[in-house]
Amino acid sequence: MNIRNTTLIAALALAAAPALADDLTVSAAASLKEAFQEINAAYQKAHPGTAVKLNTAASGVLLQQLSQGAPVDVLATADQATMDKAQEQNLIDKAARRTFVLNNLVVVQPKDSRLKIKTLNDLKAATVNRIAVGNPDSVPAGRYTKGALEKAGLYTTLQPKIVSTQNVRQALDYVSRGETEAGFVYRTDAVLAKDKVNISFAVPLETPVSYAIAPTAAPKNKEAKSYVDFVLSPKGQAILKKYGFSSAKGFKAK
């Protein structure tokens, strides 16, 4: 099944899911799953009349779901480019859009690996047969990876080794199970699987990994902006920090 069909099915499933009047639906990048689960629990405790529904997937998939009519109140992406596209399509409240957290792209190896991978050039070694990378057309981590490899002059060389994944968590799973010798994921993902993978090194990037959040243009729940404010609040930021994300204070997206 190709990614377009998968996206359509996911969008239809989300649209068909029963939603109560007070439900607030948040579509968030896959790498935010655990942090947002805790944020949602804290938000619901502070707003007992509201139930928060969390939908996670690759940022590009979330955008396609929203553009196809899925009922979403808040969109949180793992990059600025996907949110830019949402803004261009008038799918979000651009005045309420914010950059709310930063992350790092890293290369990971299976915990029991004895390969010495310390730089991007080391991925050219004959002992490295498979490298898990998110699909750059829909996965921000994949797009960051492609940019870094192109800058290093390695993308074409490594292309035959790349195993494309539907999101960053699938890339992490492949490495965790030893199905690939290496993979590109976010530092926060690697920390969650520290018993299964080791971080080899941080990937140098021209632009930091920055996450964007915004209420949708026509949220069905009036608390959409309140939820965004909660994510940006000291309490929301403390939860994100707990999961390894860095503060975006002072960061300006290009």
Short mmCIF file of all heavy atoms in Angstrom, two decimals, residues 50-100:
data_model
loop_
_atom_site.label_atom_id
_atom_site.label_comp_id
_atom_site.label_asym_id
_atom_site.label_seq_id
_atom_site.Cartn_x
_atom_site.Cartn_y
_atom_site.Cartn_z
N THR A 50 -13.14 19.05 29.28
CA THR A 50 -12.62 18.83 27.93
C THR A 50 -11.83 17.53 27.83
O THR A 50 -10.94 17.28 28.65
CB THR A 50 -11.71 20.00 27.50
OG1 THR A 50 -12.45 21.22 27.58
CG2 THR A 50 -11.20 19.80 26.08
N ALA A 51 -12.15 16.72 26.83
CA ALA A 51 -11.39 15.49 26.54
C ALA A 51 -10.50 15.76 25.34
O ALA A 51 -10.98 16.24 24.30
CB ALA A 51 -12.34 14.34 26.25
N VAL A 52 -9.21 15.49 25.48
CA VAL A 52 -8.27 15.72 24.39
C VAL A 52 -7.98 14.42 23.66
O VAL A 52 -7.60 13.43 24.27
CB VAL A 52 -6.95 16.33 24.90
CG1 VAL A 52 -6.02 16.65 23.72
CG2 VAL A 52 -7.21 17.58 25.72
N LYS A 53 -8.18 14.41 22.35
CA LYS A 53 -7.88 13.25 21.51
C LYS A 53 -6.57 13.52 20.77
O LYS A 53 -6.41 14.58 20.16
CB LYS A 53 -9.00 13.02 20.50
CG LYS A 53 -10.32 12.59 21.12
CD LYS A 53 -11.43 12.55 20.07
CE LYS A 53 -11.10 11.57 18.95
NZ LYS A 53 -12.19 11.53 17.94
N LEU A 54 -5.64 12.58 20.85
CA LEU A 54 -4.33 12.75 20.21
C LEU A 54 -4.21 11.86 18.99
O LEU A 54 -4.43 10.66 19.05
CB LEU A 54 -3.22 12.43 21.21
CG LEU A 54 -1.78 12.57 20.70
CD1 LEU A 54 -1.49 14.01 20.29
CD2 LEU A 54 -0.79 12.11 21.77
N ASN A 55 -3.84 12.48 17.88
CA ASN A 55 -3.60 11.77 16.62
C ASN A 55 -2.15 12.03 16.22
O ASN A 55 -1.76 13.19 16.04
CB ASN A 55 -4.56 12.32 15.54
CG ASN A 55 -4.22 11.80 14.15
OD1 ASN A 55 -4.04 10.60 13.96
ND2 ASN A 55 -4.14 12.70 13.19
N THR A 56 -1.32 10.97 16.14
CA THR A 56 0.08 11.17 15.79
C THR A 56 0.43 10.44 14.49
O THR A 56 -0.08 9.36 14.22
CB THR A 56 1.02 10.67 16.90
OG1 THR A 56 0.78 9.27 17.15
CG2 THR A 56 0.82 11.45 18.19
N ALA A 57 1.31 11.06 13.72
CA ALA A 57 1.79 10.50 12.45
C ALA A 57 2.91 11.40 11.96
O ALA A 57 3.27 12.39 12.63
CB ALA A 57 0.65 10.44 11.42
N ALA A 58 3.48 11.09 10.81
CA ALA A 58 4.47 11.97 10.19
C ALA A 58 3.79 13.31 9.90
O ALA A 58 2.60 13.37 9.57
CB ALA A 58 4.99 11.36 8.91
N SER A 59 4.54 14.40 10.02
CA SER A 59 3.96 15.73 9.85
C SER A 59 3.28 15.90 8.49
O SER A 59 2.20 16.50 8.40
CB SER A 59 5.05 16.79 10.03
OG SER A 59 5.57 16.76 11.34
N GLY A 60 3.89 15.36 7.44
CA GLY A 60 3.30 15.47 6.11
C GLY A 60 1.97 14.74 6.01
O GLY A 60 1.04 15.19 5.33
N VAL A 61 1.87 13.62 6.69
CA VAL A 61 0.62 12.85 6.71
C VAL A 61 -0.46 13.65 7.45
O VAL A 61 -1.61 13.71 7.03
CB VAL A 61 0.82 11.48 7.37
CG1 VAL A 61 -0.51 10.76 7.58
CG2 VAL A 61 1.74 10.61 6.50
N LEU A 62 -0.08 14.27 8.56
CA LEU A 62 -1.03 15.08 9.32
C LEU A 62 -1.57 16.23 8.48
O LEU A 62 -2.77 16.55 8.53
CB LEU A 62 -0.36 15.64 10.58
CG LEU A 62 0.13 14.63 11.61
CD1 LEU A 62 0.83 15.34 12.76
CD2 LEU A 62 -1.01 13.76 12.14
N LEU A 63 -0.69 16.84 7.70
CA LEU A 63 -1.12 17.93 6.82
C LEU A 63 -2.12 17.44 5.79
O LEU A 63 -3.15 18.08 5.53
CB LEU A 63 0.09 18.55 6.12
CG LEU A 63 -0.22 19.61 5.05
CD1 LEU A 63 -0.98 20.79 5.66
CD2 LEU A 63 1.06 20.08 4.37
N GLN A 64 -1.85 16.27 5.20
CA GLN A 64 -2.77 15.73 4.20
C GLN A 64 -4.11 15.37 4.83
O GLN A 64 -5.16 15.61 4.24
CB GLN A 64 -2.14 14.50 3.53
CG GLN A 64 -0.96 14.86 2.63
CD GLN A 64 -0.44 13.67 1.85
OE1 GLN A 64 -1.20 12.93 1.24
NE2 GLN A 64 0.87 13.48 1.88
N GLN A 65 -4.09 14.84 6.04
CA GLN A 65 -5.34 14.54 6.73
C GLN A 65 -6.16 15.81 6.93
O GLN A 65 -7.37 15.83 6.66
CB GLN A 65 -5.04 13.90 8.09
CG GLN A 65 -4.47 12.50 8.03
CD GLN A 65 -4.09 11.96 9.39
OE1 GLN A 65 -4.15 12.67 10.39
NE2 GLN A 65 -3.69 10.70 9.44
N LEU A 66 -5.50 16.87 7.39
CA LEU A 66 -6.18 18.14 7.63
C LEU A 66 -6.75 18.72 6.34
O LEU A 66 -7.90 19.17 6.29
CB LEU A 66 -5.21 19.13 8.28
CG LEU A 66 -5.75 20.52 8.62
CD1 LEU A 66 -6.93 20.43 9.58
CD2 LEU A 66 -4.63 21.37 9.23
N SER A 67 -5.94 18.67 5.27
CA SER A 67 -6.40 19.23 3.99
C SER A 67 -7.54 18.43 3.38
O SER A 67 -8.32 18.95 2.58
CB SER A 67 -5.22 19.29 3.00
OG SER A 67 -4.80 17.99 2.63
N GLN A 68 -7.66 17.15 3.78
CA GLN A 68 -8.73 16.30 3.27
C GLN A 68 -9.98 16.33 4.15
O GLN A 68 -10.91 15.56 3.96
CB GLN A 68 -8.21 14.86 3.11
CG GLN A 68 -7.18 14.72 2.00
CD GLN A 68 -6.43 13.40 2.03
OE1 GLN A 68 -6.66 12.55 2.89
NE2 GLN A 68 -5.51 13.21 1.09
N GLY A 69 -9.98 17.23 5.13
CA GLY A 69 -11.19 17.44 5.91
C GLY A 69 -11.25 16.77 7.26
O GLY A 69 -12.31 16.78 7.91
N ALA A 70 -10.16 16.18 7.72
CA ALA A 70 -10.18 15.55 9.05
C ALA A 70 -10.46 16.61 10.11
O ALA A 70 -9.94 17.73 10.02
CB ALA A 70 -8.85 14.87 9.32
N PRO A 71 -11.27 16.28 11.11
CA PRO A 71 -11.61 17.25 12.16
C PRO A 71 -10.47 17.44 13.15
O PRO A 71 -10.28 16.63 14.05
CB PRO A 71 -12.83 16.61 12.83
CG PRO A 71 -12.62 15.14 12.65
CD PRO A 71 -11.94 14.98 11.31
N VAL A 72 -9.70 18.49 12.97
CA VAL A 72 -8.53 18.75 13.81
C VAL A 72 -8.63 20.16 14.39
O VAL A 72 -8.99 21.11 13.69
CB VAL A 72 -7.23 18.62 12.99
CG1 VAL A 72 -6.01 18.94 13.85
CG2 VAL A 72 -7.12 17.23 12.38
N ASP A 73 -8.31 20.29 15.67
CA ASP A 73 -8.36 21.60 16.34
C ASP A 73 -6.98 22.25 16.44
O ASP A 73 -6.85 23.47 16.36
CB ASP A 73 -8.96 21.46 17.74
CG ASP A 73 -10.38 20.96 17.69
OD1 ASP A 73 -11.23 21.61 17.07
OD2 ASP A 73 -10.65 19.88 18.27
N VAL A 74 -5.95 21.41 16.65
CA VAL A 74 -4.59 21.92 16.82
C VAL A 74 -3.64 21.05 16.00
O VAL A 74 -3.75 19.82 16.01
CB VAL A 74 -4.16 21.89 18.30
CG1 VAL A 74 -2.69 22.31 18.44
CG2 VAL A 74 -5.04 22.80 19.15
N LEU A 75 -2.71 21.70 15.30
CA LEU A 75 -1.70 20.99 14.51
C LEU A 75 -0.32 21.30 15.07
O LEU A 75 0.01 22.48 15.29
CB LEU A 75 -1.76 21.44 13.04
CG LEU A 75 -0.72 20.84 12.08
CD1 LEU A 75 -0.93 19.34 11.92
CD2 LEU A 75 -0.76 21.54 10.72
N ALA A 76 0.47 20.26 15.32
CA ALA A 76 1.85 20.44 15.80
C ALA A 76 2.77 19.63 14.89
O ALA A 76 2.64 18.42 14.79
CB ALA A 76 1.98 19.96 17.25
N THR A 77 3.70 20.30 14.23
CA THR A 77 4.59 19.65 13.26
C THR A 77 6.03 19.66 13.73
O THR A 77 6.43 20.51 14.53
CB THR A 77 4.51 20.35 11.88
OG1 THR A 77 4.97 21.71 12.02
CG2 THR A 77 3.07 20.35 11.36
N ALA A 78 6.83 18.75 13.20
CA ALA A 78 8.24 18.63 13.59
C ALA A 78 9.15 19.49 12.72
O ALA A 78 10.36 19.30 12.71
CB ALA A 78 8.68 17.17 13.52
N ASP A 79 8.56 20.42 12.00
CA ASP A 79 9.34 21.32 11.16
C ASP A 79 8.53 22.57 10.86
O ASP A 79 7.34 22.66 11.19
CB ASP A 79 9.74 20.62 9.86
CG ASP A 79 8.54 20.26 8.99
OD1 ASP A 79 7.40 20.22 9.51
OD2 ASP A 79 8.73 20.00 7.79
N GLN A 80 9.17 23.54 10.23
CA GLN A 80 8.48 24.75 9.82
C GLN A 80 7.88 24.61 8.43
O GLN A 80 6.83 25.19 8.12
CB GLN A 80 9.45 25.94 9.83
CG GLN A 80 10.10 26.21 11.18
CD GLN A 80 9.11 26.62 12.25
OE1 GLN A 80 8.10 27.25 11.97
NE2 GLN A 80 9.41 26.26 13.50
N ALA A 81 8.54 23.82 7.57
CA ALA A 81 8.10 23.69 6.18
C ALA A 81 6.68 23.15 6.07
O ALA A 81 5.87 23.65 5.27
CB ALA A 81 9.06 22.80 5.40
N THR A 82 6.34 22.14 6.86
CA THR A 82 5.00 21.57 6.81
C THR A 82 3.98 22.59 7.31
O THR A 82 2.90 22.74 6.72
CB THR A 82 4.91 20.30 7.66
OG1 THR A 82 5.87 19.35 7.18
CG2 THR A 82 3.52 19.67 7.57
N MET A 83 4.31 23.31 8.38
CA MET A 83 3.39 24.34 8.87
C MET A 83 3.27 25.48 7.87
O MET A 83 2.19 26.08 7.73
CB MET A 83 3.86 24.86 10.22
CG MET A 83 2.82 25.67 10.96
SD MET A 83 1.33 24.73 11.42
CE MET A 83 1.88 23.90 12.93
N ASP A 84 4.34 25.78 7.15
CA ASP A 84 4.27 26.79 6.08
C ASP A 84 3.23 26.39 5.04
O ASP A 84 2.44 27.22 4.56
CB ASP A 84 5.63 26.96 5.40
CG ASP A 84 6.65 27.67 6.27
OD1 ASP A 84 6.25 28.31 7.27
OD2 ASP A 84 7.85 27.57 5.96
N LYS A 85 3.24 25.10 4.67
CA LYS A 85 2.28 24.61 3.67
C LYS A 85 0.85 24.71 4.20
O LYS A 85 -0.07 25.06 3.48
CB LYS A 85 2.61 23.17 3.29
CG LYS A 85 3.91 23.01 2.51
CD LYS A 85 4.21 21.55 2.22
CE LYS A 85 5.53 21.40 1.48
NZ LYS A 85 5.88 19.97 1.24
N ALA A 86 0.68 24.39 5.48
CA ALA A 86 -0.65 24.49 6.10
C ALA A 86 -1.11 25.94 6.08
O ALA A 86 -2.30 26.23 5.82
CB ALA A 86 -0.60 23.96 7.53
N GLN A 87 -0.18 26.85 6.32
CA GLN A 87 -0.52 28.27 6.32
C GLN A 87 -0.86 28.75 4.91
O GLN A 87 -1.83 29.51 4.72
CB GLN A 87 0.66 29.07 6.89
CG GLN A 87 0.39 30.56 7.03
CD GLN A 87 1.47 31.26 7.83
OE1 GLN A 87 1.92 30.76 8.87
NE2 GLN A 87 1.90 32.42 7.37
N GLU A 88 -0.09 28.29 3.93
CA GLU A 88 -0.35 28.66 2.53
C GLU A 88 -1.73 28.21 2.07
O GLU A 88 -2.37 28.85 1.24
CB GLU A 88 0.73 28.07 1.62
CG GLU A 88 2.10 28.71 1.79
CD GLU A 88 3.21 27.88 1.16
OE1 GLU A 88 2.89 26.85 0.51
OE2 GLU A 88 4.39 28.24 1.32
N GLN A 89 -2.18 27.06 2.62
CA GLN A 89 -3.50 26.53 2.27
C GLN A 89 -4.62 27.07 3.17
O GLN A 89 -5.76 26.61 3.10
CB GLN A 89 -3.47 25.00 2.35
CG GLN A 89 -2.52 24.34 1.35
CD GLN A 89 -2.44 22.84 1.55
OE1 GLN A 89 -3.45 22.15 1.67
NE2 GLN A 89 -1.22 22.30 1.57
N ASN A 90 -4.26 28.04 4.02
CA ASN A 90 -5.23 28.65 4.95
C ASN A 90 -5.88 27.62 5.87
O ASN A 90 -7.06 27.71 6.18
CB ASN A 90 -6.31 29.41 4.17
CG ASN A 90 -5.74 30.57 3.36
OD1 ASN A 90 -4.93 31.34 3.87
ND2 ASN A 90 -6.14 30.67 2.11
N LEU A 91 -5.09 26.64 6.31
CA LEU A 91 -5.60 25.58 7.17
C LEU A 91 -5.37 25.85 8.66
O LEU A 91 -5.91 25.15 9.51
CB LEU A 91 -4.94 24.24 6.80
CG LEU A 91 -5.27 23.71 5.40
CD1 LEU A 91 -4.41 22.49 5.09
CD2 LEU A 91 -6.75 23.36 5.29
N ILE A 92 -4.56 26.88 8.96
CA ILE A 92 -4.26 27.20 10.36
C ILE A 92 -4.52 28.68 10.64
O ILE A 92 -4.64 29.50 9.72
CB ILE A 92 -2.79 26.87 10.72
CG1 ILE A 92 -1.84 27.72 9.87
CG2 ILE A 92 -2.51 25.40 10.58
CD1 ILE A 92 -0.43 27.80 10.41
N ASP A 93 -4.58 29.00 11.92
CA ASP A 93 -4.67 30.39 12.37
C ASP A 93 -3.25 30.92 12.42
O ASP A 93 -2.53 30.70 13.39
CB ASP A 93 -5.33 30.43 13.75
CG ASP A 93 -5.41 31.84 14.32
OD1 ASP A 93 -4.88 32.78 13.69
OD2 ASP A 93 -6.00 31.99 15.41
N LYS A 94 -2.82 31.60 11.36
CA LYS A 94 -1.42 32.01 11.26
C LYS A 94 -1.02 33.00 12.35
O LYS A 94 0.15 33.06 12.75
CB LYS A 94 -1.12 32.57 9.88
CG LYS A 94 -1.84 33.87 9.53
CD LYS A 94 -1.43 34.32 8.13
CE LYS A 94 -2.11 35.63 7.76
NZ LYS A 94 -1.71 36.08 6.40
N ALA A 95 -1.97 33.78 12.85
CA ALA A 95 -1.65 34.75 13.90
C ALA A 95 -1.29 34.06 15.21
O ALA A 95 -0.57 34.62 16.05
CB ALA A 95 -2.82 35.69 14.11
N ALA A 96 -1.80 32.85 15.39
CA ALA A 96 -1.55 32.11 16.64
C ALA A 96 -0.45 31.06 16.48
O ALA A 96 -0.17 30.31 17.41
CB ALA A 96 -2.83 31.44 17.11
N ARG A 97 0.17 31.00 15.32
CA ARG A 97 1.25 30.03 15.08
C ARG A 97 2.48 30.36 15.93
O ARG A 97 2.88 31.51 16.03
CB ARG A 97 1.62 30.04 13.59
CG ARG A 97 2.86 29.22 13.26
CD ARG A 97 3.19 29.29 11.78
NE ARG A 97 4.44 28.63 11.46
CZ ARG A 97 4.92 28.46 10.24
NH1 ARG A 97 4.23 28.90 9.19
NH2 ARG A 97 6.07 27.84 10.05
N ARG A 98 3.08 29.32 16.52
CA ARG A 98 4.26 29.52 17.34
C ARG A 98 5.28 28.39 17.13
O ARG A 98 4.90 27.26 16.85
CB ARG A 98 3.88 29.55 18.83
CG ARG A 98 2.96 30.69 19.23
CD ARG A 98 3.66 32.03 19.19
NE ARG A 98 2.79 33.10 19.67
CZ ARG A 98 1.95 33.80 18.89
NH1 ARG A 98 1.88 33.52 17.59
NH2 ARG A 98 1.21 34.75 19.41
N THR A 99 6.56 28.72 17.29
CA THR A 99 7.61 27.70 17.38
C THR A 99 7.73 27.39 18.86
O THR A 99 7.96 28.30 19.67
CB THR A 99 8.94 28.23 16.83
OG1 THR A 99 8.79 28.53 15.44
CG2 THR A 99 10.05 27.19 17.01
N PHE A 100 7.54 26.13 19.25
CA PHE A 100 7.41 25.86 20.67
C PHE A 100 8.50 24.98 21.28
O PHE A 100 8.61 24.89 22.51
CB PHE A 100 6.03 25.24 20.97
CG PHE A 100 5.83 23.84 20.45
CD1 PHE A 100 5.91 22.75 21.30
CD2 PHE A 100 5.54 23.61 19.10
CE1 PHE A 100 5.70 21.46 20.83
CE2 PHE A 100 5.33 22.33 18.62
CZ PHE A 100 5.42 21.24 19.48
#
